[in-house]
Amino acid sequence: MSPALPEGEPVPPDGSLPSWVASGAGGTVPATRGFGVYLHVPFCSVRCGYCDFNTYTASELGGGASQASYASTALREIDLAARVLHDAGLPERPVSTVFVGGGTPTLLPAGDLVRLLGGVRDAWGLAPDAEVTTEANPDSVTPESLAELAAAGFTRVSFGMQSAVPHVLATLERTHDPRRIPDVVRWARDAGLQVSLDLIYGTPGESLDDWRASLEAALATGVDHVSAYALVVEAGTKMAAQVRRGEVALPSEDDQATKYELADELLTAAGLTWYEVSNWARTDADRCRHNLAYWRGDDWWGIGPGAHSYVAATGAAPAGASPEDARVGVRWWNVKHPRRYAALLEAGTSPAAGRELLTRTEGRLERAMLGVRLREGLDLAVLSPAGRHAVAGLVANGLLDGRAAVAGRAVLTLRGRLLADTVVRTITDE
């Protein structure tokens, strides 16, 4: 069961943005801030017991929503998005990154994903070096489907490998054969696509040797990007109920820390460098630029049920606003169920369920929370005086790099990466 949407203020039926987002005729977008598009495909063949994403199997959809019609429905929102941004008076710019996530996007025919990318291209244009990624399960692609995506402009695929160990995959309720991983990586590369593998550590019953085997299997493919995430069991999921009943036991924090350290050791030895707490890449060009855009505060429009969007203000603050209360951006989110999402767009209405208007203080906190997770670190000037004062203690405790702090940046040490949430709480405690 996916989490509830946040509370927020109503969004106008036409989806229009607040006037202050582009206040004044001379609003400009900094050259360093890109514009990304996230396309959510909310379908899965089965629901994994640990997953709380906004996804649906065929039996959960109900009438009024279908995989077959989804691309046409999402194209309606792309048209609405283009109109809303134009009517807001925001400067036009091409899309720098596109990320198709889910769910399992490749449950849709490759032709539908191509249509969606075509809709983005028609609405805004793509930057010449645009990164275009789709997520995929290893059992949901063929050499032909990957070649079709690459020919249409996709540049990257992220496979949900999760583990190379059958009993771990069974606990996670993943359906693919781990022996297929080298094949799908080769097919994607033959098509000219960059490849990332996603791994999960800390599954109940996973030993350290199991985790080592998964890392070594991923590296044996020669892949240039790996994401490794600790399993988090969210309330309301099937696995949470299993834990509550004592049917499975979660690993200790020490176990997860040991597995993270092993991941960093093996990935680094193989030539992949961490650039975000859970992500490693062989070169800067192999990093996921779309995710970097989130962490650095770029603009994006999320298409699909439950998708979130964010646009920063480009103009001057409204008259009378104090510096800290001035609105610096707007975030909104769509209704969750595909049936409701489709009905609203069919009626010519925005599918947004609510929005929040971020103040300068809130924007600064978000920049700190996200930016400190990056290898490049966070400019200490972003922090409040209290946050800057806390840096010395974090350096003394071995969580932040001392030399970087002297140079004006908060950069996590390896121990700091293990305790990143603690670092974030400490530097953002107002």
Side-chain angles (χ1 to χ4, degrees):
M1 181 178 185
S2 56
L5 291 171
E7 296 182 2
E9 69 170 37
V11 176
D14 63 359
S16 57
L17 298 175
S19 59
W20 50 260
V21 169
S23 58
T28 59
V29 176
T32 55
R33 195 167 79 231
F35 174 48
V37 174
Y38 173 74
L39 297 163
H40 186 64
V41 178
F43 309 119
C44 282
S45 57
V46 297
R47 177 175 291 281
C48 299
Y50 66 92
C51 180
D52 75 334
F53 292 168
N54 190 43
T55 62
Y56 302 81
T57 63
S59 62
E60 295 171 327
L61 281 175
S66 71
Q67 292 183 28
S69 62
Y70 183 72
S72 295
T73 300
L75 285 167
R76 290 177 184 269
E77 189 184 359
I78 291 173
D79 289 342
L80 179 144
R83 183 172 67 252
V84 166
L85 293 176
H86 178 270
D87 290 349
L90 290 167
E92 295 186 4
R93 53 198 154 138
V95 171
S96 48
T97 63
V98 179
F99 196 100
V100 189
T104 307
T106 43
L107 279 183
L108 296 183
D112 281 0
L113 300 183
V114 170
R115 286 179 61 205
L116 290 172
L117 180 58
V120 172
R121 185 183 287 112
D122 291 344
W124 297 287
L126 293 176
D129 63 343
E131 175 193 88
V132 182
T133 303
T134 186
E135 293 181 330
N137 281 354
D139 55 2
S140 66
V141 298
T142 64
E144 293 76 19
S145 67
L146 291 167
E148 184 175 352
L149 294 175
F154 281 79
T155 65
R156 190 173 179 277
V157 61
S158 179
F159 288 116
M161 174 180 172
Q162 317 309 3
S163 175
V165 181
H167 79 83
V168 175
L169 289 173
T171 300
L172 293 172
E173 298 183 84
R174 304 294 292 188
T175 59
H176 67 270
D177 184 338
R179 293 172 297 183
R180 188 179 174 88
I181 297 299
D183 292 333
V184 299
V185 171
R186 184 179 68 256
W187 298 343
R189 284 183 154 173
D190 287 348
L193 296 168
Q194 292 180 291
V195 183
S196 176
L197 293 178
D198 286 357
L199 298 173
I200 290 177
Y201 60 92
T203 298
E206 178 191 59
S207 68
L208 188 61
D209 284 342
D210 290 335
W211 177 232
R212 180 185 294 274
S214 294
L215 290 163
E216 290 176 345
L219 289 170
T221 67
V223 73
D224 295 320
H225 188 285
V226 171
S227 299
Y229 301 103
L231 178 67
V232 177
V233 179
E234 301 288 357
T237 61
K238 177 181 176 182
M239 186 172 283
Q242 292 173 318
V243 171
R244 188 173 62 251
R245 294 193 297 264
E247 297 171 4
V248 298
L250 292 179
S252 67
E253 291 183 0
D254 286 345
D255 177 84
Q256 290 204 333
T258 299
K259 288 174 178 172
Y260 182 90
E261 289 173 330
L262 179 61
D264 190 63
E265 175 188 341
L266 295 185
L267 293 169
T268 300
L272 281 72
T273 302
W274 80 280
Y275 68 96
E276 190 274 340
V277 168
S278 299
N279 290 272
W280 290 258
R282 196 169 302 279
T283 70
D284 288 356
D286 297 311
R287 297 179 178 188
C288 178
R289 287 166 46 205
H290 186 84
N291 286 341
L292 280 170
Y294 292 147
W295 297 318
R296 291 172 175 167
D298 285 356
D299 297 341
W300 78 91
W301 193 297
I303 303 292
H308 287 230
S309 305
Y310 173 77
V311 173
T314 63
S322 69
E324 291 305 302
D325 289 336
R327 305 298 184 179
V328 296
V330 56
R331 178 182 292 109
W332 65 97
W333 46 89
N334 287 345
V335 296
K336 290 176 60 177
H337 200 283
R339 183 170 62 249
R340 178 63 175 157
Y341 173 77
L344 288 169
L345 287 165
E346 179 70 26
T349 301
S350 167
R355 71 184 183 189
E356 58 181 338
L357 313 178
L358 274 68
T359 65
R360 190 177 305 279
T361 298
E362 291 165 338
R364 186 181 70 240
L365 289 174
E366 288 202 356
R367 284 185 62 193
M369 290 166 55
L370 298 173
V372 78
R373 297 179 61 86
L374 297 173
R375 184 182 182 89
E376 66 201 45
L378 178 72
D379 185 346
L380 295 182
V382 172
L383 301 177
S384 67
R388 291 193 295 273
H389 181 74
V391 167
L394 293 170
V395 170
N397 289 330
L399 302 181
L400 291 179
D401 181 89
R403 288 187 178 182
V406 170
R409 301 196 72 79
V411 176
L412 296 171
T413 61
L414 175 58
R415 183 166 182 265
R417 282 185 270 158
L418 294 171
L419 298 169
D421 289 345
T422 297
V423 174
V424 167
R425 286 195 298 271
T426 302
I427 64 175
T428 59
D429 186 359
E430 297 288 301

